[in-house]
Amino acid sequence: MQNFMISSYRKLVALIIVLGMIGVVISAVAQAYLLSANPYGGGGGAGMAILAFIGILIGGTLYVILIGGALYVGLGIYDNTKKMAELLEKQLEKTSA
């Protein structure tokens, strides 16, 4: 059951990262479209739309990398703890025999 939960968590982290990046791209395109196609004149034109697009892409990508990295660090801590416990058990068997 424990292996199932960890493997599911790994898949969930990968899915979160992929969906996060898709969300960043969609929101950047939507914001750029809204700024360039505003019929009421408050959008700022094509220059502001490009700046918003680039800003959202950079900021969103950094955010997804930060969150994904933190989730993978948690998985790495789990893996290292498991390996260390196995090594200590082997060492204990060698010294007690």
Side-chain angles (χ1 to χ4, degrees), residues 13-25 56-72:
V13 168
L15 181 67
I16 287 170
I17 291 171
V18 169
L19 290 178
M21 287 308 299
I22 291 171
V24 166
V25 170
I56 291 172
L57 278 182
I58 291 172
T61 301
L62 289 175
Y63 178 76
V64 171
I65 289 171
L66 180 70
I67 295 300
L71 294 173
Y72 277 122

Side-chain angles (χ1 to χ4, degrees), residues 1-93:
M1 184 68 171
Q2 183 179 8
N3 290 335
F4 170 74
M5 295 299 280
I6 295 300
S7 67
S8 297
Y9 182 68
R10 288 182 199 279
K11 292 175 186 173
L12 184 63
V13 168
L15 181 67
I16 287 170
I17 291 171
V18 169
L19 290 178
M21 287 308 299
I22 291 171
V24 166
V25 170
I26 289 173
S27 64
V29 169
Q31 184 64 36
Y33 174 74
L34 289 174
L35 284 175
S36 66
N38 189 357
Y40 302 109
M48 188 62 90
I50 291 172
L51 285 176
F53 179 78
I54 292 171
I56 291 172
L57 278 182
I58 291 172
T61 301
L62 289 175
Y63 178 76
V64 171
I65 289 171
L66 180 70
I67 295 300
L71 294 173
Y72 277 122
V73 164
L75 281 171
I77 291 171
Y78 169 78
D79 289 336
N80 287 339
T81 304
K82 185 177 176 181
K83 288 178 186 177
M84 182 60 88
E86 291 170 357
L87 287 173
L88 288 175
E89 287 176 4
K90 288 180 184 177
Q91 186 68 27
L92 181 64
E93 288 174 5

